[in-house]
């Protein structure tokens, strides 16, 4: 795996081996990464160390994500229930990958991380969806609770009120 190999050896050496293995030229890599050929030649010869952004672009081309996934930004308890679930989109299995968050700030950071990780889309709470749509350029959908979930939560509140207030509701 190229992304592991670059940490085990010199980047230029790992790149050269990977290009040979794929029977790919620097020019072809340049076209796919949109990195100037001169820059890639300097990196491949060891004359220049690549920037992190350059490494990411090279890795993204040489090692694309194996499977498509949809990120779910939510509380950990929900993610434990759905982690690894799959949905079928146009005949292709798409995995759900959880990104735990417990605050609006954490939701925004999780959405950015999911985008960087290659998510095809993000599912999140309605309260944060409009913000996330402004910071990522992938589809965002809201996590809509089932009405039974709301009713169950109301029953929990009612039991708590009965315990602490002797059954008295404030008016």
């Amino acid at each position: 795996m190229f992304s592991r190999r670059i940490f085990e050896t010199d980047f230029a050496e790992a790149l050269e081996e990977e290009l040979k293995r794929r029977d790919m030229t620097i020019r072809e890599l340049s076209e796919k990464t949109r990195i100037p050929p001169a820059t890639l030649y300097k990196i491949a010869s060891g004359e220049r160390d690549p920037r992190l952004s350059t490494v990411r672009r090279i890795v993204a081309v040489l090692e694309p994500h194996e499977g498509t996934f949809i990120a779910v930004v939510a509380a950990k308890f929900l993610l434990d229930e759905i982690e690894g679930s799959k949905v079928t989109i146009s005949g292709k299995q798409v995995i759900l990958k959880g990104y735990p968050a417990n605050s609006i700030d954490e939701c925004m950071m999780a959405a950015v991380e999911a985008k960087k990780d290659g998510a095809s889309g993000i599912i999140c709470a309605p309260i944060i969806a409009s913000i996330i749509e402004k910071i990522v350029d992938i589809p965002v959908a809201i996590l809509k609770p089932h009405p039974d979930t709301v009713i169950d939560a109301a029953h929990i509140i009612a039991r708590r009120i009965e315990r602490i207030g002797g059954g008295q509701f404030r008016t």
Side-chain angles (χ1 to χ4, degrees):
M1 182 175 263
F2 178 67
S3 60
R4 286 193 189 140
R5 183 88 173 106
I6 62 176
F7 293 106
E8 296 169 355
T9 186
D10 179 64
F11 185 85
E13 183 181 324
L15 180 60
E16 182 181 342
E17 288 173 6
E18 187 65 19
L19 291 175
K20 280 183 186 176
R21 190 179 76 74
R22 293 173 176 267
D23 194 29
M24 181 185 281
T25 66
I26 295 279
R27 285 220 176 269
E28 290 169 329
L29 182 61
S30 172
E31 289 171 13
K32 291 181 179 189
T33 60
R34 289 183 278 152
I35 298 169
T39 301
L40 290 174
Y41 280 115
K42 288 177 185 175
I43 291 168
S45 70
E47 181 182 330
R48 177 175 160 187
D49 287 328
R51 293 180 180 171
L52 181 58
S53 60
T54 302
V55 171
R56 284 184 177 152
R57 287 165 68 185
I58 292 169
V59 169
V61 166
L62 296 179
E63 204 172 274
H65 291 286
E66 289 296 315
T68 305
F69 73 94
I70 296 172
V72 180
V73 177
K76 185 163 177 14
F77 76 88
L78 176 61
L79 299 178
D80 289 342
E81 299 277 329
I82 59 98
E83 184 74 26
S85 297
K86 296 178 181 175
V87 295
T88 304
I89 301 173
S90 301
K92 184 178 179 183
Q93 290 283 305
V94 178
I95 194 164
L96 299 180
K97 182 177 176 185
Y99 287 80
N102 293 307
S103 69
I104 291 178
D105 288 348
E106 287 179 5
C107 287
M108 290 187 298
M109 290 185 298
V112 170
E113 181 181 350
K115 167 68 170 115
K116 286 181 181 178
D117 289 348
S120 297
I122 297 173
I123 299 170
C124 62
I127 196 162
I128 191 74
S130 63
I131 296 170
I132 289 176
E133 284 178 326
K134 292 175 184 171
I135 60 175
V136 298
D137 59 352
I138 56 177
V140 176
I142 62 168
L143 189 61
K144 181 180 175 187
H146 191 276
D148 290 343
T149 306
V150 177
I151 300 299
D152 290 344
H155 286 292
I156 291 168
I157 293 295
R159 286 193 299 273
R160 289 180 181 169
I161 290 170
E162 287 173 350
R163 263 188 263 139
I164 60 173
Q168 300 292 319
F169 283 95
R170 294 183 199 165
T171 54

